[in-house]
Amino acid sequence: MKSKLAVIALGGNSLIKDKRRQSVHDQYLAAYESCEHIADLIESGYNVVITHGNGPQVGFILLRSELARNSIHEVPLDSCGADTQGALGYNFQQALGNIMKKRHINKHAVTVVTQVIVDKNDPAFTHPTKPIGSFYTKQEAEEREKSGWIMAEDSGRGYRRVVASPMPVKIVEEEAIKTLIKEGFIVICAGGGGIPVIENENQDLEGIAAVIDKDYASALLAAKVKSDIFVISTAVEKVCLNYGTPNQQELNSVTLDEIKKYMEEGHFKPGSMLPKIKAAISFLENGGEQVIITNPPNIKAAVDGKTGTRISK
């Protein structure tokens, strides 16, 4: 019988637990913990594709680049994405490999450094809003603007560089990913939403300074590879209405129409659950059947219908 396919989008909390545990080794341990839960799903017969966030890691590279900019060239944002895809993919590959070896699971993990095409005319490029990197004083921000950066004040904490967050249009390595899935590999790809690239006037690909939402890219990927289930892993066990209030209500199983209604009523915050809900809707509207939103320890139980929030047509 053909294995079912699950695309699992891991949130940033799966990689960095807190400010005390940010080292490369700490990130490996966090990845290992998430991979234990993913291995439960693999062991039950699922084939798996893993995507992941990379925000803090890109921030670390940008900070190193900033501190060393008088001694060595700065690292472009698209290269930061490529660097983190490789490094974090290595963590997941090694962790999953070690876990599957212990459990006698005869599978292998592989990382695909993934480019994602965005529209160079996407309106997001006109109004960049995604803050990245370090905080600067007003004077430092004005200096950085001279080099072409767009700076914005961030919640009274200082100034930060802002870049566009365009919508993903096409996954360049889609066919390679499909081939690896067909051959039974656990594929780690589209890290951080993918490396944003545009098609220039010669139809060649060219990296661009932008950040693609990881959940939107994962939804596109899940639809393209015809995943049976799209799992969005986050910090909470279930999606809630009226989150953080006395009237908080957990959602167990909801339809596409119901979740769209709740979204329109304003239940989901832009910087938190809203992008995940929009990604879920996108997957379902593009041919997907089921989305599960839960936290890493509950991935297997949620797929089995025991917990988590399940959204279906």
Side-chain angles (χ1 to χ4, degrees), residues 256 279-291 311-313:
L256 175 59
I281 291 169
S282 173
F283 173 67
L284 294 171
E285 289 185 337
N286 283 285
E289 295 295 330
Q290 289 189 334
V291 178
I311 310 168
S312 56
K313 292 179 177 176

Side-chain angles (χ1 to χ4, degrees), residues 98-115:
N98 289 337
I99 292 165
M100 291 190 294
K101 181 180 176 182
K102 286 178 184 177
R103 297 194 189 188
H104 305 289
I105 301 171
N106 187 25
K107 278 184 172 288
H108 299 278
V110 63
T111 298
V112 177
V113 174
T114 314
Q115 303 170 92

Side-chain angles (χ1 to χ4, degrees), residues 22 35 44 55 57 61 77 92 111 130 132-133 155 162 187 193 195-196 208 214 219 223 236 246 256 271 292:
Q22 293 186 343
C35 287
S44 71
Q57 292 80 14
I61 294 174
L77 188 56
F92 285 118
T111 298
K130 180 71 176 177
I132 61 167
S155 308
V162 290
V187 185
I195 304 162
I208 192 164
K214 175 260 303 175
V236 294
L256 175 59
I292 291 169

Side-chain angles (χ1 to χ4, degrees), residues 26-295:
D26 287 328
Q27 291 180 56
Y28 170 78
L29 295 177
Y32 191 99
E33 185 179 323
S34 291
C35 287
E36 287 271 29
H37 306 307
I38 292 170
D40 291 340
L41 200 58
I42 297 168
E43 207 165 28
S44 71
Y46 274 85
N47 202 3
V48 167
V49 174
I50 300 168
T51 68
H52 59 83
N54 69 347
Q57 292 80 14
V58 167
F60 296 155
I61 294 174
L62 289 172
L63 177 57
R64 292 189 193 104
S65 183
E66 176 73 13
L67 293 173
R69 71 189 179 100
N70 292 323
S71 303
I72 196 169
H73 62 273
E74 294 185 56
V75 183
L77 188 56
D78 56 320
S79 292
C80 292
D83 290 350
T84 55
Q85 281 192 14
L88 296 175
Y90 162 60
N91 278 351
F92 285 118
Q93 274 182 217
Q94 190 175 88
L96 269 173
N98 289 337
I99 292 165
M100 291 190 294
K101 181 180 176 182
K102 286 178 184 177
R103 297 194 189 188
H104 305 289
I105 301 171
N106 187 25
K107 278 184 172 288
H108 299 278
V110 63
T111 298
V112 177
V113 174
T114 314
Q115 303 170 92
V116 175
I117 295 174
V118 299
D119 184 351
K120 61 185 175 184
N121 297 313
D122 189 304
F125 287 111
T126 309
H127 301 287
T129 57
K130 180 71 176 177
I132 61 167
S134 305
F135 288 91
Y136 297 84
T137 65
K138 191 172 190 298
Q139 183 178 354
E140 289 170 334
E142 289 170 351
E143 283 297 313
R144 298 309 267 157
E145 283 177 334
K146 292 177 184 177
S147 64
W149 285 13
I150 298 172
M151 308 296 290
E153 199 275 332
D154 189 340
S155 308
R157 297 177 293 176
Y159 289 78
R160 293 178 78 189
R161 182 185 180 187
V162 290
V163 297
S165 185
M167 293 298 293
V169 173
K170 182 181 179 181
I171 296 162
V172 176
E173 288 75 21
E174 179 185 322
E175 292 306 315
I177 292 165
K178 286 179 177 176
T179 299
L180 289 164
I181 293 168
K182 185 178 178 182
E183 293 299 319
F185 286 91
I186 306 302
V187 185
I188 302 142
C189 59
I195 304 162
V197 297
I198 58 168
E199 292 180 326
N200 64 23
E201 58 273 10
N202 298 320
Q203 301 304 301
D204 290 333
L205 297 181
E206 187 179 304
I208 192 164
V211 174
I212 302 170
D213 183 275
K214 175 260 303 175
D215 294 312
Y216 293 165
S218 301
L220 175 62
L221 173 71
K224 292 297 183 181
V225 300
K226 294 182 167 49
S227 184
D228 296 285
I229 299 177
F230 176 32
V231 180
I232 302 176
S233 174
T234 185
V236 294
E237 185 174 345
K238 296 181 181 181
V239 178
C240 296
L241 303 180
N242 305 306
Y243 183 74
T245 73
N247 298 322
Q248 179 172 305
Q249 176 189 344
E250 292 181 338
L251 295 177
N252 298 311
S253 182
V254 294
T255 66
L256 175 59
D257 287 341
E258 287 171 335
I259 204 72
K260 287 169 79 172
K261 175 176 172 287
Y262 295 142
M263 181 181 70
E264 289 163 4
E265 289 172 353
H267 284 283
F268 312 119
K269 294 180 180 178
S272 179
M273 190 59 70
L274 183 60
K276 301 179 192 323
I277 297 300
K278 286 184 174 180
I281 291 169
S282 173
F283 173 67
L284 294 171
E285 289 185 337
N286 283 285
E289 295 295 330
Q290 289 189 334
V291 178
I292 291 169
I293 302 178
T294 193
N295 54 359

